[in-house]
Amino acid sequence: MKYFTIVTVWCFVLGTTLVFSQTTNTKTEINQLVNNWHKAASEANFTAYFELMSDDAIFIGTDANENWNKKEFETYSKPHFDKGKAWSFSSIERHIYFDSTGTVAWFDELLDTQMKICRGSGVVIKVGNQWRIKHYVLSMTVPNDSSKAVIAIKAPIEDVIIQNRKSKL
């Protein structure tokens, strides 16, 4: 019985270590993917940037009208990349989470950008042996103490958008 207990504990420890190691390696892969994606944009490398996204990827930008599938986002982005300067985001904090299969993960990050601090959140999926960005949402952060001033700026523009979208429901 003592031998069985020792073997059971050893198997538990080994299994836990392997799962932790696998999760750590996968987090490293996802961090590298997202970092490389941001780097490709900062270097205006159109091909590298879009190759890191799944074929059915969605990108949601900071403007209420920016909800694009990959093809639409490529069309929007191409002139920026062609000028040799797209955008430059660097992560200052990132959290990664996994589903039970280990083939889907989601993350949130704070970014240092030309718009100051932004928040990005995304979903990545395993495609073959590679992780790809499937869904990404970029939003500007607004300090709570500045909300009223920001709302006053946004209201005339976004009231029109709200009415147009509501009329289509």
Side-chain angles (χ1 to χ4, degrees), residues 87-127:
W87 44 86
S88 184
F89 301 164
S90 59
S91 182
I92 54 178
E93 178 180 299
R94 185 178 296 138
H95 306 102
I96 301 172
Y97 312 91
F98 296 93
D99 79 337
S100 59
T101 69
T103 60
V104 177
W106 55 98
F107 64 94
D108 61 83
E109 61 183 351
L110 285 179
L111 300 163
D112 179 7
T113 81
Q114 63 272 16
M115 298 175 281
K116 297 305 181 202
I117 296 176
C118 286
R119 182 174 301 281
S121 61
V123 175
V124 295
I125 58 168
K126 194 89 177 219
V127 179

Side-chain angles (χ1 to χ4, degrees), residues 10 16 31 44 56 73 82 95-98 105 111 113 129 134 136 138 142-144 164:
W10 185 82
T16 303
N31 273 317
D56 59 349
F73 188 42
D82 286 348
H95 306 102
I96 301 172
Y97 312 91
F98 296 93
L111 300 163
T113 81
N129 293 329
K134 184 174 182 73
Y136 192 79
L138 177 67
V142 177
N144 290 335
N164 286 339

Side-chain angles (χ1 to χ4, degrees), residues 10-82:
W10 185 82
C11 286
F12 175 77
V13 169
L14 180 62
T16 303
T17 302
L18 289 174
V19 168
F20 178 75
S21 174
Q22 188 173 26
T23 301
T24 301
N25 289 341
T26 304
K27 279 187 176 185
T28 300
E29 290 174 19
I30 292 169
N31 273 317
Q32 186 173 6
L33 163 72
V34 180
N35 289 341
N36 287 343
W37 189 57
H38 291 320
K39 183 175 187 262
S42 71
E43 295 173 348
N45 187 335
F46 184 86
T47 301
Y49 185 81
F50 285 98
E51 282 179 350
L52 296 173
M53 298 173 74
S54 68
D55 291 339
D56 59 349
I58 300 294
F59 184 95
I60 300 174
T62 59
D63 187 290
N65 295 308
E66 296 176 340
N67 187 331
W68 297 304
N69 64 36
K70 184 177 181 179
K71 193 70 173 159
E72 293 165 335
F73 188 42
E74 286 174 334
T75 300
Y76 165 81
S77 301
K78 187 82 166 98
H80 297 286
F81 280 80
D82 286 348

